[in-house]
Amino acid sequence: MNTIDEAMIAILEKRLELSKLNYSDDTYDDVEEMLHDLEDDFNEKYGDQLEDILEKVHLKHCPESDVLLPTAYLAKKFVETADGEIEIGKKEGVEVEWIEDPVANARLVLLPAPTRVLLMTPKGIDIVWETE
């Protein structure tokens, strides 16, 4: 696994840890701060590279939507299956104005292992970019 995947997985795991805590939990603020540090480091280290990729994806599939920071495209909530796969809900990632149907609820999601960008539309889920 490459370092970008490891960094994404670390963010996803920290988001999962945070989602299991209540605001009143003594460790909530510390976990939230660690998450923000991971996200900042990720954007600093991989942001330019991923923003170039996301810009190309946006131009092809959703040119009317702005490109955001790469961490915005990562799932906030997910379920890890028994075989280690990640399942995400239909509201994860970033909502975009899909060129084929601008009023459709379309979303772009960045996932690790392999690093890839998914386009989720009413027609289904397509991998619109993936590491080679």
Side-chain angles (χ1 to χ4, degrees):
M1 187 178 330
N2 65 35
T3 55
I4 194 167
D5 285 336
E6 291 169 358
M8 275 193 275
I9 289 169
I11 291 170
L12 293 172
E13 287 173 344
K14 195 57 70 179
R15 285 181 177 178
L16 181 61
E17 180 183 348
L18 187 64
S19 73
K20 292 178 180 179
L21 298 175
N22 291 320
Y23 293 117
S24 60
D25 191 297
D26 291 342
T27 62
Y28 187 91
D29 289 339
D30 292 336
V31 173
E32 185 178 43
E33 188 173 327
M34 285 187 270
L35 172 60
H36 291 312
D37 288 345
L38 287 171
E39 290 172 338
D40 290 345
D41 291 347
F42 183 83
N43 284 327
E44 187 176 312
K45 190 167 186 178
Y46 304 108
D48 291 342
Q49 173 188 354
L50 289 170
E51 284 178 28
D52 289 345
I53 293 163
L54 289 164
E55 192 171 303
K56 290 173 186 165
V57 169
H58 272 256
L59 283 172
K60 185 173 182 179
H61 300 283
C62 48
E64 297 299 317
S65 298
D66 293 332
V67 177
L68 305 178
L69 288 172
T71 50
Y73 296 84
L74 290 170
K76 301 278 188 256
K77 295 181 181 177
F78 62 94
V79 175
E80 189 173 357
T81 62
D83 59 358
E85 292 291 313
I86 294 173
E87 288 183 1
I88 57 171
K90 294 179 181 180
K91 298 212 182 251
E92 295 304 323
V94 172
E95 188 169 354
V96 293
E97 191 174 320
W98 183 34
I99 200 166
E100 287 186 33
D101 185 357
V103 297
N105 185 16
R107 304 185 81 78
L108 289 175
V109 183
L110 177 62
L111 291 175
T115 305
R116 61 202 183 278
V117 178
L118 304 182
L119 174 63
M120 300 189 312
T121 69
K123 289 184 177 182
I125 299 174
D126 294 312
I127 297 173
V128 292
W129 181 87
E130 185 172 11
T131 54
E132 298 171 2

